[in-house]
Amino acid sequence: MLKTHIEFNVRVKHGQGSEEDSVLESLERLHLSKRHNVTHSNKRVEGICILNESLSGLTPARFSTYMQAYEEQPGTHDKILTRLKAAFNYCNRNNLLESGKFFLFCENIKRQSEPRHVSVDDADLKAMSSYLFPDNFSSERMYREFKLFMHLEMTGHFRTQQTVTLKYSQIDFENQVLRTTAKGGKKITLHLSKESCEVIKAHRAWQESNAIFSDCLFPSPFDLKVPRANFENEWTKMRLSLGFYDEESCTYKYRLHDFRETLLTRIDDLPDPILSKLLGHTSGQALRHYREAQAKNAKVAAELAQERLNETIFK
């Protein structure tokens, strides 16, 4: 089940060697392929290798007992649970499992870790910025695209999928805004700093000078009409190069979403409505703040966030 999920879901969606592929490879090598001694309720001790278990024989109680082996490693516990649930759901959706029998991956066992709130520290922001030089990339195009991608991600304004799929036609350079879709599917307007607008315009000029005529900021290498899938390989390569991966826990120090948390720490002295507008929040309390925020103040916030990011990297 897990191998089917990796081969036909993870590698199709994210690519071989992507962050998700690498995490699964590490989990399999360090944990899932090894026997772990577990103690059943009747005090019987048994060694279980989860990859050798058949789904028909893996009862909810047996799986729960296996997961208890990771109680002291909440991060690893949650990674294993999340990936096994994803594998089950993929196989179940594609009718690869016997209907009605295998509910154990979706019930009973809960994640252990607290919600993640990580801010990228100043030294690591500088290290990432210093990494973005041509010698670290396979081609000039990859260097320029990943550098722009990281510039936009490091501002903290965007969710990663919004960044990857950006098109020039979404951007109003004169007013420094772009129109995109929020997480829930609602159309929103986000504000760009003047520097970000100039960087994007310079990137477009480079594309056109190299006969890359596309509305996409990051067009697919195979079809200029559509955006590329992701920057997983380059993002993973950079984190590995900078030592941002812990082999023992199979975890990376940072995720791309952490730049949004970092944005909040850089400008947390601004009112909540302005921060909500800047981040594009559109639901619950964030939606109420969003409606109260003024576009003019959000534009000021975008400039302030860029200014403080530059101070962090170049001071």
Side-chain angles (χ1 to χ4, degrees), residues 76-91:
T76 302
H77 173 283
D78 291 353
K79 280 184 172 57
I80 291 174
L81 182 62
T82 300
R83 271 67 185 189
L84 289 177
K85 281 186 175 182
F88 165 79
N89 288 332
Y90 173 76
C91 291

Side-chain angles (χ1 to χ4, degrees), residues 10-12 21 59 62 64 67 74 100 102 131 143 151 156 158 180 183 188 192-193 198 204 208 235 249 276 293 300:
V10 172
R11 288 180 178 169
V12 170
D21 190 35
T59 64
R62 187 176 174 80
S64 177
M67 291 305 300
F102 310 112
Y131 176 88
Y143 156 66
H151 170 91
F158 310 102
T180 187
K183 190 174 182 180
I188 60 172
L192 294 168
S193 68
E198 294 303 318
R204 187 175 200 178
E208 292 177 349
W235 171 234
S249 63
S276 182
V300 171

